[in-house]
Amino acid sequence: MGDNAPHEPEYDDKAIRFLAVLWGEGYLSPGGPEEVDRVLDGLELSGRRVLDLGCGAGGITLHLARTYGPVHVTGFDVERPVIEHARRAAQEAGLAGAVTFVEAPPGRLPFEDGSFDVVFSKDALVHVPDKEALFREIFRVLEPGGTFAASDWLIAHDGEPSPEMKAYLKAEGLSFGMASATRYTAAMRAAGFAGIEAKSRNAWYREVARQELERLGGPLRAAAVAAVGEDYVAKNIGTWIAMQKVLDSGEHCPTHLRGTRPTRKGSVGDVPPS
């Protein structure tokens, strides 16, 4: 997952404020608690130790603690501004005893083997280019019998990105290491996961992103400008326009992922990507 080199934050206080206007307080990815619940559909969290990997500003971590009855939720991120925001939000919500937020540089996760029953992640793994090392680490920190459930931003192929995708990535200006569902599931399989599932959410986000763009240019614009200024909003409208093109083409593929750490060696069984 990297070499533990110092990490320059990409999500500063301005980004947190802007995305809160668009996606909700403490959320750095789309869909709000409803999409989180869809990622977790059918999964039992009650009484379990949960890791929110790439927790960002903590909105999801707090939702998990409030809603699902876990014994504890640990939010982990490599960026200090979002972790500081998450810790403040936990205190204000009266949930400081139910959650812990951990900041550490990219690299080996700062947790013992088998520390968690569930590892959850929402649109954060895209920032890790080495998917193979990433899933070895996720597998390591899961208890045998534990579950990995996530959503992430994938690309439809592992070849050269289209000019439209390159334009979108440049507009984002973030360290996206996008990969296909084929590479994700192969990395999960190589790490030892069983029961692997990958379900495209392109159709859902294609329409949601169109609505987000309309809201940024209309009813949300005043609140967004008040939060971060006109130039920042205009830049992000340009980013959403570029993103819509690769969503419409199908090259940008938000995807739900799931797998389990077997309780014994030799357990297999994948569900084909959909």
Side-chain angles (χ1 to χ4, degrees):
M1 286 183 64
D3 56 5
N4 291 302
H7 182 80
E8 186 68 27
E10 295 184 343
Y11 293 89
D12 58 12
D13 289 338
K14 182 175 278 191
I16 294 169
R17 293 197 305 273
F18 171 74
L19 294 174
V21 172
L22 184 62
W23 289 333
E25 175 58 37
Y27 282 77
L28 303 184
S29 64
E34 295 80 12
E35 182 66 359
V36 172
D37 295 342
R38 285 187 284 264
V39 173
L40 294 169
D41 183 45
L43 182 59
E44 180 61 62
L45 269 63
S46 178
R48 298 192 174 184
R49 302 162 298 163
V50 179
L51 173 63
D52 182 4
L53 183 58
C55 65
I60 291 173
T61 316
L62 301 184
H63 173 66
L64 298 179
R66 287 190 189 103
T67 308
Y68 286 93
V71 65
H72 197 80
V73 186
T74 301
F76 171 81
D77 210 287
V78 300
E79 301 204 342
R80 179 160 299 174
V82 296
I83 287 291
E84 290 177 346
H85 184 99
R87 287 171 177 160
R88 289 194 299 270
Q91 288 284 351
E92 292 168 3
L95 290 170
V99 300
T100 301
F101 290 101
V102 177
E103 177 209 352
R108 181 180 171 88
L109 293 172
F111 307 110
E112 298 295 325
D113 296 0
S115 293
F116 302 100
D117 304 298
V118 176
V119 173
F120 172 89
S121 186
K122 179 69 166 65
D123 304 337
L125 307 184
V126 64
H127 293 288
V128 183
D130 189 341
K131 309 303 180 189
E132 293 72 24
L134 168 66
F135 283 109
R136 287 195 297 269
E137 277 297 282
I138 294 172
F139 189 87
R140 179 183 67 79
V141 302
L142 268 174
E143 179 81 0
T147 303
F148 165 72
S151 174
D152 205 36
W153 284 23
L154 278 61
I155 190 169
H157 57 83
D158 290 308
E160 183 75 9
S162 70
E164 292 78 14
M165 179 61 83
K166 290 179 180 177
Y168 162 60
L169 294 174
K170 183 177 180 181
E172 279 282 14
L174 299 171
S175 59
F176 279 1
M178 297 184 87
S180 70
T182 298
R183 184 175 170 201
Y184 269 76
T185 55
M188 291 174 68
R189 193 176 304 112
F193 282 96
I196 298 167
E197 302 177 19
K199 180 180 179 181
S200 174
R201 295 289 287 160
N202 170 273
W204 167 77
Y205 193 49
R206 186 168 66 239
E207 296 309 313
V208 168
R210 202 180 312 278
Q211 296 166 17
E212 291 168 349
L213 181 57
E214 292 173 356
R215 292 164 64 215
L216 277 175
L220 284 184
R221 188 172 187 118
V225 169
V228 295
E230 179 67 43
D231 290 347
Y232 196 92
V233 173
K235 175 187 178 298
N236 276 278
I237 287 175
T239 299
W240 254 253
I241 291 171
M243 178 172 65
Q244 192 69 56
K245 293 178 181 178
V246 290
L247 285 167
D248 288 345
S249 73
E251 191 172 16
H252 181 7
C253 300
T255 297
H256 287 185
L257 300 157
R258 191 171 292 193
T260 59
R261 176 170 177 170
T263 55
R264 57 185 176 83
K265 292 184 179 180
S267 299
V268 295
D270 294 359
V271 177
S274 60

